[in-house]
């Protein structure tokens, strides 16, 4: 009788003292060169060497935590015997920066996009109804619902929809300072995202976030593509809805004039996101997305890595890739801001990973961050941006955002992202408007179980597909979706509720 095959494991770096279980490892099974002393679930870690209490646990060739007890070869390593601990990291600013190759225009890939009057290119063609404050959120929704019920959009097939982007703030906040500036950047960023053809901004009238002030500070002149109104000035809810619908009806034929045309991939700005991560995220989908990001940079485009709490402990790998010391120091400054921010709230940077992340095999924020940072590929870090700040550099850049996916993606879209890729291992049900979101499953089980939500299976990397080949598959999918092919989340109708601006500061 043939002996059963040993459960599969993966060693990610020669310096690691753990392997990752591809299959569940039962007690007594031979795996990673040792005999398992405890059951190790798939995606979790198995010790291959003795690790004394207080010694580092190493994965990806990097420290992911420290042993809280003596760990023997064959032990399951997780939160019961491995914990976060601060340690010094060598930022080595710019040590690994390089002159990234960018293909000449005639060799760059292309897609079919909407060229806007300001020169930017959209991948979608939406009409947006923005609310300046939560008090006008219902009216904005009522307008959009009435337009969508009317059937008028059937006359404009080139328009992807009329979408209300509403939120829970805009008043009860300070009229100056960080929180106000973040909301202002977010609102204007959505209004000017290239996937939006026309905007109606609706306020109540008496809120802290005054529409007139935003218009003055940005030098906005209203016209066919951008208009504003308030409920109080218009005369109440019903009159505002009626007049708002009239304005939107007038915008529709103007927005419908946009036509797709062949444009270079250098016009793409890709938001990199992950959520519901597991032990496979840093092995399959994240590095594959990183390979796709490298391809986009090679073709002249832009890739935005974000979620600052989820690169904590891996930031030294990014500072080494910074094009200058100033760029690297700006990233570290944001890390220090977050350390102070969480301390003031009585928290810790190791509040992340989430319970779902831990169930999937991630033990500390250090481990999660090393896997998450892989989405950023290998090219030089060209810039570091604050939340919702307009991204004005080509290549690989970083935007400071929380790790919470809807808030992070909202900042990236406000910064100009016109397409988004989202990796998930536990199974995220996220979608985004006005920017299409492409879902990448880290393992075949979640891809098959949530087939209606997932666009690409990266689990076959565990079966032998190379990271480079999967990166090319993702890059081609980005071009197809940017040209109009609907992603799974778009087919399901996601995106109306995922506009979540970062709320900083006291609610008063």
């Amino acid at each position: 009788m043939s002996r059963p095959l040993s459960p599969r494991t993966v060693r990610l770096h020669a310096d690691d003292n753990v392997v990752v279980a591809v299959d569940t490892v039962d007690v007594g099974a031979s795996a990673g060169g040792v005999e398992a002393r405890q059951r190790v679930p798939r995606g979790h870690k198995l010790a291959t060497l003795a690790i004394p209490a207080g010694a580092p646990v190493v994965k990806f060739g990097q420290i992911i935590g420290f042993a809280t007890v003596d760990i023997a070869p064959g032990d399951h390593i997780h939160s019961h015997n491995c914990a976060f601990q601060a340690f010094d990291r060598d930022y080595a600013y710019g040590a690994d920066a390089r002159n990234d190759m960018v293909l000449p225009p005639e060799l760059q890939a292309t897609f079919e996009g909407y060229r806007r009057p300001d020169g930017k290119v959209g991948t979608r063609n939406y009409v947006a109804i923005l609310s300046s404050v939560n008090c006008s959120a219902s009216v904005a929704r009522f307008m959009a619902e009435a337009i969508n019920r009317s059937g008028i959009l059937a006359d404009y097939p080139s328009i992807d929809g009329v979408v209300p982007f509403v939120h829970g703030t805009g008043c009860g906040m300070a009229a100056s300072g960080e929180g106000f500036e973040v909301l202002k950047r977010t609102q204007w960023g959505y209004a000017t995202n290239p996937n939006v053809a026309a905007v109606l901004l609706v306020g109540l009238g008496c809120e802290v976030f005054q529409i007139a002030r935003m218009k003055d500070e940005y030098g906005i002149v209203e016209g066919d593509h951008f208009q504003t109104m308030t409920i109080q000035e218009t005369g109440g809810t019903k009159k505002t809805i009626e007049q708002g619908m009239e304005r939107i009806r007038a915008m529709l034929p103007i927005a419908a004039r946009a036509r797709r045309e062949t444009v270079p991939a250098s016009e793409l700005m890709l938001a990199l996101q992950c959520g519901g991560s597991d032990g496979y995220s840093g092995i399959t989908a994240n590095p594959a997305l990183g390979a796709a990001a490298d391809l986009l940079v090679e073709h002249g485009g832009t890739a935005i890595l974000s979620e600052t709490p989820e690169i904590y402990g891996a930031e030294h790998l990014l500072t080494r890739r910074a094009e200058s010391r100033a760029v690297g120091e700006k990233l570290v400054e944001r890390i220090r801001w977050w350390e102070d921010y969480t301390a003031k709230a009585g928290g810790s940077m190791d509040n992340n990973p989430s319970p779902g992340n831990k169930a999937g095999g991630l033990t500390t924020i250090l481990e999660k961050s090393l896997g998450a940072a892989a989405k950023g590929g290998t090219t030089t870090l060209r810039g570091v941006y604050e939340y919702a700040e307009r991204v004005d550099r080509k290549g690989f850049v970083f935007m400071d955002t929380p790790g919470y996916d809807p808030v992070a993606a909202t900042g990236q879209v406000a910064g100009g992202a016109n397409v988004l890729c989202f990796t998930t291992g536990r199974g995220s049900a996220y979608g985004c408007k006005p920017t299409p979101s492409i879902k990448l499953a880290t393992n075949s089980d979640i891809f098959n179980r949530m087939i209606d939500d997932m666009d690409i299976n990266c689990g076959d990397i565990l079966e032998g597909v190379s990271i480079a080949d999967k990166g090319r598959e993702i890059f081609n999918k980005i071009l197809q979706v940017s040209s109009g092919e609907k992603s799974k989340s778009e087919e399901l109708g996601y995106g109306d509720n995922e506009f979540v601006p970062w709320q900083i500061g006291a609610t008063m």
Side-chain angles (χ1 to χ4, degrees), residues 299-337:
H299 285 261
T302 304
I304 311 171
L305 182 65
S306 295
E307 301 178 290
T308 313
E310 296 183 13
I311 58 107
Y312 185 75
E315 76 274 10
H316 61 294
L317 302 181
L318 298 176
T319 59
R320 296 181 66 92
R321 292 161 53 189
E323 71 171 13
S324 68
R325 185 180 184 90
V327 169
E329 287 180 342
K330 188 172 182 180
L331 178 62
V332 174
E333 185 274 327
R334 299 317 300 166
I335 292 287
R336 299 292 175 254
W337 184 94

Side-chain angles (χ1 to χ4, degrees), residues 199-235:
V199 177
L200 177 62
L201 175 58
V202 183
L204 176 62
C206 59
E207 60 267 23
V208 170
F209 188 84
Q210 284 287 302
I211 293 175
R213 177 179 169 186
M214 187 185 85
K215 288 166 60 179
D216 182 63
E217 292 186 10
Y218 283 107
I220 302 167
V221 177
E222 294 195 31
D224 293 338
H225 297 275
F226 183 87
Q227 295 185 30
T228 68
M229 61 192 306
T230 66
I231 297 168
Q232 291 168 351
E233 290 177 352
T234 307

Side-chain angles (χ1 to χ4, degrees), residues 339-399:
E339 290 175 331
D340 182 61
Y341 182 59
T342 53
K344 285 178 179 177
S348 163
M349 293 296 285
D350 196 42
N351 283 351
N352 206 327
S354 70
N357 296 152
K358 290 184 177 182
L362 298 177
T363 302
T364 68
I365 186 56
L366 303 174
E367 179 181 13
K368 183 176 182 180
S369 292
L370 289 162
K375 300 193 303 293
T378 62
T379 60
T380 298
L381 178 64
R382 299 294 179 184
V384 174
Y385 295 85
E386 294 190 21
Y387 185 87
E389 188 178 1
R390 176 64 51 80
V391 175
D392 58 2
R393 295 290 308 272
K394 296 286 189 180
F396 171 60
V397 302
F398 186 86
M399 177 180 284

Side-chain angles (χ1 to χ4, degrees), residues 38 50-55 57 66-72 75-76 78 80-83:
Q38 295 150 3
I51 307 174
V57 176
F66 294 84
T68 55
V69 296
D70 290 339
I71 297 174
D75 281 354
H76 173 212
H78 200 36
H80 62 286
N81 57 8
C82 176

Side-chain angles (χ1 to χ4, degrees), residues 18-246:
V18 303
V19 292
V20 178
V22 175
D23 306 311
T24 297
V25 179
D26 291 319
V27 175
S30 176
V34 298
E35 182 177 307
R37 289 161 38 95
Q38 295 150 3
R39 183 178 181 274
V40 181
R42 54 195 290 271
H44 286 238
K45 297 171 292 298
L46 173 73
T48 57
L49 298 172
I51 307 174
V57 176
V58 180
K59 179 183 173 185
F60 304 109
Q62 302 287 330
I63 295 172
I64 64 164
F66 294 84
T68 55
V69 296
D70 290 339
I71 297 174
D75 281 354
H76 173 212
I77 295 183
H78 200 36
S79 50
H80 62 286
N81 57 8
C82 176
F84 168 81
Q85 179 180 312
F87 65 98
D88 291 333
R89 297 181 279 281
D90 180 9
Y91 290 132
Y93 299 109
D96 296 335
R98 66 192 194 199
N99 292 321
D100 300 321
M101 184 186 77
V102 177
L103 294 170
E106 64 271 16
L107 296 181
Q108 291 176 11
T110 61
F111 70 102
E112 300 300 308
Y114 297 100
R115 178 77 67 178
R116 301 302 184 190
D118 63 1
K120 293 185 293 186
V121 175
T123 64
R124 293 295 182 269
N125 196 37
Y126 281 103
V127 173
I129 307 174
L130 288 166
S131 63
S132 66
V133 64
N134 180 253
C135 306
S136 59
S138 291
V139 164
R141 287 194 186 279
F142 293 156
M143 287 179 189
E145 289 167 0
I147 289 289
N148 290 325
R149 282 197 308 267
S150 72
I152 192 173
L153 290 179
D155 297 331
Y156 303 103
S158 65
I159 295 177
D160 290 296
V162 175
V163 187
F165 292 109
V166 302
H167 56 91
T169 183
C171 206
M173 63 188 299
S176 62
E178 200 165 25
F180 187 90
E181 291 301 313
V182 161
L183 180 59
K184 184 178 70 175
R185 289 198 302 267
T186 305
Q187 292 277 26
W188 186 235
Y190 265 66
T192 56
N193 185 283
N195 290 356
V196 174
V199 177
L200 177 62
L201 175 58
V202 183
L204 176 62
C206 59
E207 60 267 23
V208 170
F209 188 84
Q210 284 287 302
I211 293 175
R213 177 179 169 186
M214 187 185 85
K215 288 166 60 179
D216 182 63
E217 292 186 10
Y218 283 107
I220 302 167
V221 177
E222 294 195 31
D224 293 338
H225 297 275
F226 183 87
Q227 295 185 30
T228 68
M229 61 192 306
T230 66
I231 297 168
Q232 291 168 351
E233 290 177 352
T234 307
T237 298
K238 288 186 177 180
K239 291 177 183 177
T240 304
I241 294 170
E242 290 169 359
Q243 290 190 31
M245 290 178 64
E246 289 178 10

